[in-house]
Amino acid sequence: MQAEPDNDQPTILIVDDERVNRSMLAELLGQQYRVLLAKDGPSALTIAARESHRLLLVLLDVSMPGMNGYEVLTQLKKQEATAGIAIIFITGQSDAAAEEYGLRLGAADYVSKPIRPAVVSVRVRNQIDLALQRQALQRLAQVDGLTSLANRRHFDDMLRRSHRMCLRRNDPLGLALIDIDHFKLYNDHYGHVQGDEALKQVAGTLARHARRPYDLAARFGGEEFALILPGHADAVEVVERFRLEVQSMAIAHAASTTAPELTVSCGVLTIHCGQTDGMEDCLRRADELLYEAKTSGRNRVCATSVGL
């Protein structure tokens, strides 16, 4: 059971074995937040794992049969996807030692029973505000300031995560490294301000080819870009479409010795599920493919696969 408000609203999970408490909290918070409900620990963990990308706060009853709130919190903190979700304990106990124990486990706050609506609203609002601030700071730390693509740090992190996910799912992983051809000559000829504009145009085009939830377009450094395509058996086709679209933008490049317009060279590596080498080796292989594309004439895609 859950309320169905605007999907842009912050998501809260209420976990309590008593229906009356769940209903009261849902009614209190449902106008401001997207509210999910769970009646016990195992179902709370299932919902939290499924909604981890949106879930900002859990209101968690301490005393529940089977799996108590402390155990649920411990399990949430063990999982990377749910470790950062804020927890407010709901308790009828007034034991200072129990409250200290919960805070040491990682709870952000406590709400005492009987529940006082005004107090709950303020404490929830405070935690939601903090969670939204953390998200905003995290996004800033992950984004390249010029192109608004993922930065190198975020790319490295997501590549490792994508590799683990594809291994679990028995899926291929597409990895592309991309270089704008003769970009130093472009900057020398047109100036760095126009060079920045060209970078932003290429970045915007690349972002449109990272369409699925787990795809990632990143600025790798300078005029180099990267694309992560988990589960894509046709990564080469995706990158080739991108290459053609960049050329079709017809951004004049009078200094290029490859074409009269801006072009890109691309190296594409498809990593199959049996490949368990470190991502450093995969990046090195993708970089070798990019080098091959550049030395064999530029404005092309060179590709191979590993782990067959």
Side-chain angles (χ1 to χ4, degrees):
M1 176 183 176
Q2 69 183 59
E4 294 290 347
D6 190 334
N7 285 337
D8 290 335
Q9 291 178 307
T11 298
I12 295 175
L13 172 60
I14 296 169
V15 187
D16 198 305
D17 61 307
E18 296 185 18
R19 181 188 295 272
V20 64
N21 290 336
R22 296 196 303 271
S23 299
M24 180 179 64
L25 288 168
E27 183 176 355
L28 173 65
L29 302 170
Q31 294 302 311
Q32 293 179 274
Y33 309 105
R34 174 175 174 256
V35 175
L36 309 176
L37 303 177
K39 65 179 181 180
D40 54 38
S43 59
L45 293 174
T46 299
I47 294 171
R50 186 184 69 230
E51 297 282 338
S52 61
H53 61 297
R54 298 184 60 186
L55 186 58
L56 297 184
L57 176 66
V58 179
L59 290 170
L60 180 58
D61 187 20
V62 172
S63 300
M64 296 185 294
M67 177 182 284
N68 64 36
Y70 298 131
E71 293 170 308
V72 174
L73 173 58
T74 300
Q75 292 302 314
L76 289 172
K77 294 299 180 183
K78 282 183 179 179
Q79 303 302 315
E80 183 179 8
T82 57
I85 299 171
I87 309 293
I88 295 179
F89 271 136
I90 304 171
T91 179
Q93 303 173 6
S94 58
D95 184 353
E99 182 172 341
E100 179 185 355
Y101 178 66
L103 293 172
R104 287 183 180 277
L105 285 179
D109 204 350
Y110 264 81
V111 169
S112 298
K113 295 179 181 179
I115 292 170
R116 291 176 291 169
V119 172
V120 172
S121 295
V122 171
R123 290 178 185 258
V124 166
R125 181 72 261 171
N126 287 344
Q127 293 303 322
I128 291 294
D129 286 345
L130 288 171
L132 291 173
Q133 290 171 18
R134 285 194 298 269
Q135 281 191 346
L137 289 172
Q138 185 177 32
R139 282 194 294 269
L140 286 174
Q142 294 173 343
V143 173
D144 174 66
L146 177 65
T147 65
S148 297
L149 297 182
N151 60 21
R152 176 63 189 272
R153 178 180 179 182
H154 188 41
F155 166 83
D156 289 340
D157 181 49
M158 290 306 297
L159 183 59
R160 288 189 293 269
R161 294 185 184 208
S162 297
H163 188 216
R164 292 196 297 267
M165 181 181 72
C166 287
L167 285 171
R168 289 195 304 270
R169 297 182 177 184
N170 201 30
D171 283 341
L173 171 62
L175 169 63
L177 293 183
I178 299 152
D179 188 72
I180 298 178
D181 294 326
H182 309 293
F183 192 67
K184 183 181 185 303
L185 296 177
Y186 187 93
N187 273 334
D188 291 344
H189 186 83
Y190 295 101
H192 288 276
V193 172
Q194 194 161 334
D196 285 350
E197 289 303 313
L199 285 171
K200 288 189 281 188
Q201 287 182 266
V202 172
T205 301
L206 185 64
R208 289 195 295 273
H209 288 77
R211 297 173 179 172
R212 304 172 313 156
Y214 292 106
D215 294 347
L216 184 77
R219 187 179 183 191
F220 199 68
E223 69 272 21
E224 287 194 21
F225 297 89
L227 195 59
I228 300 173
L229 299 168
H232 256 301
D234 60 346
V236 177
E237 287 81 358
V238 173
V239 176
E240 175 63 10
R241 288 195 297 271
F242 161 73
R243 183 192 69 80
L244 292 171
E245 187 174 338
V246 169
Q247 190 166 15
S248 72
M249 291 191 299
I251 301 171
H253 192 348
S256 174
T257 57
T258 298
E261 64 277 330
L262 201 72
T263 59
V264 293
S265 298
C266 313
V268 182
L269 183 68
T270 301
I271 307 157
H272 289 273
C273 60
Q275 178 69 20
T276 57
D277 290 347
M279 285 295 95
E280 294 81 5
D281 291 333
C282 293
L283 273 174
R284 177 185 53 78
R285 186 70 184 100
D287 191 53
E288 290 172 353
L289 291 166
L290 173 59
Y291 180 77
E292 181 183 339
K294 292 164 69 174
T295 56
S296 59
R298 300 180 189 264
N299 190 26
R300 65 193 62 209
V301 175
C302 288
T304 192
S305 59
V306 295
L308 296 175

